Amino acid sequence: MADYVLAIDQGTTSSRAIIFDHSGQPVASGQKEHEQIFPKAGWVEHDALEIWANVREVVAQALSRASLNASDIAAVGITNQRETAVVWDKNTGKPVYNAIVWQDTRTQKICDRLAGDVGPEIYKDKVGLPLATYFAGPKVMWILENVEGAKEKAEAGDLLMGTMDTWVLWNMTGGANGGVHVTDVTNASRTLMMDLDTLAWDESIAADMGIPTSMLPEIRSSAEVYGHDRKEGLLAGVPIAGILGDQQAATFGQACFEVGHAKNTYGTGNFMLINTGTEPIPSKNGLLTTVAYKIGEKDAVYALEGSIAVTGSLVQWLRDNLKVISSAPEIEKLAATVEDNGGAYFVPAFSGLFAPYWRSDARGALVGLTRYVNIGHIARAALEATAFQTAEVLEAMNADSGVELTELKVDGGMVANEVLMQFQADVLGVDVVRPKVAETTALGAAYAAGIAVGFWSGEQDVIDNWAEDKRWSPSMDTGERDRLLRNWKKAVTKTMDWVDDDVE
């Protein structure tokens, strides 16, 4: 058998390809950012064709840097930004509109319309999710209602929809020439249209959204052979055998296989998942019930998730919009110039508030300002926002799961930030643990694909390969922690009721 597995990580800000060896160590990678398109306030789009071109480019980069070719790769796994939705013409392969990104809030009126008199929990018993702009189904509904000719084409059976895993897989397996139209249970569980018990599309909800079932991809497990790379591709003939939404992939890569195991990924947003076993647990505290993974014919494993919209993207905003820093790592140096936040709190509700509030009417606020506050305090407040939001999600998770977390496994780009990780341990009051391989999202997709083709024998290999890199323990006294969290919660209330009915 070939010696390596390749993972494609199609993320919110960039696409990456990472090649892993049998010990789960990264061998080579390629990465390319794509354009963030903001047509109006609250609207966020990506060019799906640009992303597909970038995916091909980063695969080429990774293979060339490792001096490998298709014959060296045992399988390909795909992981992706989850709720971002694209609709395309199956005959031409061209999207009818840009991909609408998970952070986009334009579908609020559609969500209100679907909710009717019942309210945002209308589908929650079936799909585990509240009606919110975050999820993919209403985004597809918006495209069908607002793009000229789209509804007619959809009803004629000419359009397909999918999250970005589906788009990448369809193109890799031939596109308009026989591309495989498939998604996995983790991504399907983020559309608002998949029944959590049956793991099948709920046709009545799709009908409510005006989405013909002919548009929907087939739902499959997270680890099986879906198809092979097209003959003109760089990975020609290699099986594509794993798909996991990015947060579920990180959960898998962090070896969270036991009930009560949890991880938190620090990326564009933050996403904490706790394994709840083979039964879905409804949340009473603003969390999402979602599928964690399903390996082949085995039972699906479920999770509770706390989703935070803006964490790493706040640092990106300070870099790109305000020009406060010229590169993301500079935020740590700037924050380290001060002892504390100087009384400033930054609530980055740029896409409304996600868990545990689910308030799409919220917008970002920087509060507690005095003449004393300087740029160092603002940098620190931006980092602290990530930790405070995580603390609120952990509180909800402890309440829902009935399990008090004793430590939190962390991964993603921001875990390199020592100031943030220490503050995170301080406000949580539990140890924060970083693994040796921080690229757990790509690694999880690689493991799923490798398990499907026998490259790895199963979850035990993942557990054996996982290793601790660094641990942060809390050092803040409880009085100070309580004061900071009290002020944070006060700051959050200042962001609500901002968007009025006459705002598009």
Side-chain angles (χ1 to χ4, degrees), residues 189-201:
S189 76
R190 314 300 290 196
T191 61
L192 278 167
M193 293 185 285
M194 188 190 84
D195 186 307
L196 279 179
D197 292 320
T198 64
L199 306 180
W201 297 117

Side-chain angles (χ1 to χ4, degrees), residues 127-148:
V127 303
L129 314 171
L131 253 177
T133 59
Y134 179 26
F135 304 110
K139 299 179 195 300
V140 175
M141 190 174 169
W142 187 93
I143 291 172
L144 295 182
E145 289 184 355
N146 289 277
V147 175
E148 195 177 338

Side-chain angles (χ1 to χ4, degrees), residues 29-50:
S29 66
Q31 180 168 4
K32 190 167 187 189
E33 287 197 7
H34 52 265
E35 187 187 358
Q36 306 295 311
I37 302 163
F38 306 108
K40 292 185 185 180
W43 292 31
V44 191
E45 297 175 3
H46 293 156
D47 178 345
L49 289 173
E50 179 195 7

Side-chain angles (χ1 to χ4, degrees), residues 342-357:
Y345 292 80
F346 203 150
V347 188
F350 296 165
S351 300
L353 290 166
F354 283 18
Y357 298 99

